[in-house]
Amino acid sequence: MENLTIEATKYSPEVNFNQETNILKITGKSTPENTFEFFEPITKWLKEYFSESKECTIILNIPYFNSSSSRVIYDIFDIFSDAHDEGSKLIINWEYNENSD
């Protein structure tokens, strides 16, 4: 399985999923024009990655996301929940600015 790396743009976050270190990172603003197209390789990668029980640290630093991104982020958390239910050990760190609403 290959690592998944997507460069950040003005409208989409940086994505770095390294299966060797078991660290998954999504960092940056998420307002892509076609949200589902942007996130599709991420959800596919996660489903394949979690097809076996894993230990994984997830780091999210998404200071802003639009409503369509929130739907896909919810779907990603469903993948995490299913992985946990199937025996994966997950640590989720959601980094945020404490002055942000």
Side-chain angles (χ1 to χ4, degrees):
M1 177 172 199
E2 297 289 321
N3 294 331
L4 176 63
T5 303
I6 301 171
E7 297 284 326
T9 70
K10 182 177 178 180
Y11 303 104
S12 61
E14 175 185 4
V15 178
N16 186 347
F17 291 168
N18 187 320
Q19 58 90 25
E20 293 146 7
T21 62
N22 296 315
I23 296 175
L24 316 178
K25 286 185 180 181
I26 301 177
T27 306
K29 183 170 92 169
S30 182
T31 60
E33 188 171 313
N34 189 333
T35 305
F36 295 102
E37 185 177 301
F38 173 78
F39 279 98
E40 182 180 22
I42 298 166
T43 57
K44 282 184 178 183
W45 193 94
L46 286 169
K47 288 175 183 177
E48 182 179 343
Y49 177 79
F50 286 120
S51 65
E52 298 178 15
S53 180
K54 307 271 187 192
E55 288 191 26
C56 186
T57 299
I58 298 128
I59 302 168
L60 303 170
N61 186 332
I62 309 170
Y64 178 82
F65 51 91
N66 60 14
S67 58
S68 60
S69 292
S70 69
R71 175 64 187 138
V72 178
I73 292 168
Y74 181 85
D75 292 343
I76 288 172
F77 271 89
D78 277 345
I79 294 169
F80 295 155
S81 179
D82 291 345
H84 179 265
D85 290 347
E86 294 174 12
S88 290
K89 292 181 90 178
L90 306 176
I91 297 171
I92 300 175
N93 294 317
W94 189 296
E95 299 173 351
Y96 62 93
N97 181 337
E98 65 181 66
N99 295 326
S100 177
D101 291 335

